[in-house]
Amino acid sequence: MSTSNSSTAMAMGAVAGALAARPLTKLARQLSKDFPPTSPTNATSSDSSNSSTSNGNGISDKNVGILAAEVYTPSTYIRQERLEQHSSVSPGRYTIGLGQTGLGICGDAEDVNSLSLTVVQSLLEKYDISPAEIGRLEVGTETLVDKSKSTKTVLMDLFGTNTDVEGATIINACYGGTAALLNAFAWVESDGWDGRLAIVVAADIAAYARGPARPTCGAGAVALLIGRDAPLAFVDPRERATHAANVWDFFKPDHTVEYPTVDGALSQTCYYRALEDVYNRFADKIDNNTTTSSSKKEKNWDASQQSKSNSTKNNNDNDNKIKKKKFDAESADYFVFHSPYNKLVQKSYARLYLLDARRRYQEDLAATSTYEESSTSSSEEKKQDDSPLKNESSTVSSDEDNPLSEWLDKPIEDTYSDKALEGVLKKLSASSFQKRLTDPNAASRDIGNTYTASVFFGLASLIDKAGGRGDLTPGKTAVVFSYGSGALATMYRLHVRSPTTQTRFTIPKMVSALSLSDRLASREEVHPSELDHALETRARMHRAGAPYSPVYPTVGRLFPGTYYLNGIDAKWTRTYSRVPLDAKMDKKGTSLAPPIVLRLEKRDEVSCPVTGKLKVLTDSEDLGTDLHIEARRRIACVITGVSAGLPGLDGAVFRPDNLDRLVRGENCITPISGQTKMELIDKNVVQLKKMPDGTRKRFPVDSENDIIKLAAQLGPVDLTALYGVPPGLAETMDVAAQVAVAAGLEALKSAGLVSGKTNDAKDWVLPEQYRDSTGVVYASSFPAMDAAVGEVMRFLQSKTVGAADTMRLVSALRSRLLRASPERELSDDDEAAFARLLTRAREIEGSDSDDNSV
């Protein structure tokens, strides 16, 4: 037995022995039966491609890969054609412009944890996998519900007493699932593998704010089972290339919302850059590996076939042709791309033809230069026969024959938005795209963007479509391109093969378990307005806080076997339940959004004003909603009433037709009277002027000629006479505050929240049931400035007034206190105090008269 095989056997024995549990001992025997460690004896009695040793080319024959696959997408979807009509956009905007046919919708009853629970539990059930068989579980997602606790830990509820499970949750936009997959491949490939299987989960809910990106929403999850002797194998770990860069094309910096910050044009450019980088290096690796492999095959063939001289030349010629064949966009049987929307995949695959042409062009230039330097002593005939330009794989023989010649040496960045090039590439790639990408793209076109799960839905769709027809046969290959903003990308190749040491996991079994086409056809099509209902409900949940109870959709509209969010308690703990497998779904055709969602959405709507009274939801109406919690959730603002006060000395400040006067452009500016001008001069106003040279100078306004001649002059506002405000309260306000209060009261009247029929205070008091949910907003450029100026003027007057005015000041003070008193009378103590002040004033007045007499 080889060293690696011994390690495998010892690892399985250690698990069984350390745990000393009969079920795991039985499990180890079962795993040994399903995935036996290969020995030289096994290798000679079975296909050599399934040996766990190296084949001499640096390629491990463990055939690590995908054993099984399961998917989940919500039970309801929207057709893009109807969404075009609902959104009032031109026909084909989404169906042709984006290349999409539908999108799955997800309300607040499902989150990334519930999607993952659903798809993993279904994988275990459909393939009869015991939780004890799993040794690694890794999740890729960008739809976070917690900044610390991972979705992987939530999934551990499905694994019972099996706590020995490696892996975590990986986050990097749409790339997290691919990172998890590569980790799982490496774990199963390694000498530290203990014989158990790995599960990779990719799950996301793609949600966008209102705007052009909203039609690219979607939701779904994929679970892959990873192990050895796989029917879809990552045969050669060298067959991959990765791109990593720091770009800000798509990210989620605002934790108060679920929606991303997106630079659409930059994101597409970054996608192209990543594809260009990984594809060129991936193709070079394939070419180099193929050349090395062909060279070794040729040596082995020569050693064993020396006696067959007649066939040697023909076979050597064939080998030379194999060596000269370069990897290109038509070398793989299938391509699977990360698919935010199908049109991007179509454009991106077409660009591979440009990259192929540019690679050949550069190789030909280099080869021609080398050839010319080394062939100066050869004959002209030999030059023509042996010239690299005669390479059968080259299609750059002349500008006239190559439709891409214009772009072969053009800076690659200049080609990203070249419409003429786009048209040429579309024509060149159309037939191959139809052959190699139609099957992988089918599911994503119907489901929408699923972020990390997108590329794996492509694999599942390929298995469902091509595998269902029997076309996914051993020997075929699929090249996978995964991209995540930020940015990370990887391209790798999978090989279809027939397992030789186990029959439990095969392509036909995956086709049967997935039944992807049938499952998508069983979904319920709903009205396009449900997309907004679902996303606004999710947005409300995102900002609501805890506790929270989901409302959309109701459980009866979910597929049997679906996990859903029960709620979030006051400590932010989330709990989940599962729809029974034998449950009957509610009748299709009715509104997906329950009445409470429609009421809350109408309440929170900010795009169009509503009139009439707003009513706070009661406990009986809203399924026991606590009113204090409900009040905290009310973040959206609804404008229900407006008012406008206009200047003018000839009428009321708040007239019913003020808004119409504004729209008509009525002039409210009037000339300033002589008395007002003199009052302004007395205030020692200083005017700030900007001079022609940019400097600023101050000029005192000390003459009538310097005073402004026209102004918007506010008429009187009597809060007591018009609105029943107590006089004492009104007199504590300056003019700006009095006008603001009047404007707020008029706005409440406009909203219908107060009657305002008379100047009785009762007609202007806001009813108690509206006070917690109603606010009035007003602003002032110079708050309390009028009052401050008045106080300063009174202070100055008190310093300069003559003694003869003392009695008048005391009398004025008494009158002011009387007006401020609700009873319009002073107490006996106050009256006695004023009597003493008047007596003292007379004494001062008499004393001053004596001093001034001579």
Side-chain angles (χ1 to χ4, degrees), residues 752-808:
L753 296 175
V754 298
S755 66
K757 295 178 181 179
T758 68
N759 65 349
D760 190 333
K762 294 180 181 180
D763 291 335
W764 295 95
V765 173
L766 187 66
E768 185 175 357
Q769 66 264 36
Y770 301 137
R771 293 176 187 174
D772 289 339
S773 58
T774 303
V776 176
V777 180
Y778 70 90
S780 173
S781 297
F782 306 100
M785 181 63 74
D786 182 72
V789 171
E791 288 298 325
V792 171
M793 294 300 292
R794 283 189 287 273
F795 174 77
L796 293 174
Q797 187 179 16
S798 70
K799 290 295 185 180
T800 58
V801 67
D805 294 326
T806 303
M807 292 181 63
R808 190 180 74 238

Side-chain angles (χ1 to χ4, degrees), residues 75-79 82 522-528 588-589:
S75 62
T76 53
Y77 78 104
I78 292 168
R79 281 200 300 121
R82 292 187 65 192
S522 69
R523 295 177 301 167
E524 177 187 359
E525 180 190 347
V526 295
H527 191 272
K588 296 181 180 180

Side-chain angles (χ1 to χ4, degrees), residues 3-5 7-8 11 62 186-194 228:
T3 302
S4 60
N5 294 333
S7 299
T8 302
K62 299 170 185 176
W187 181 72
V188 176
E189 177 78 21
S190 73
D191 291 337
W193 184 57
D194 63 6
R228 296 186 180 183

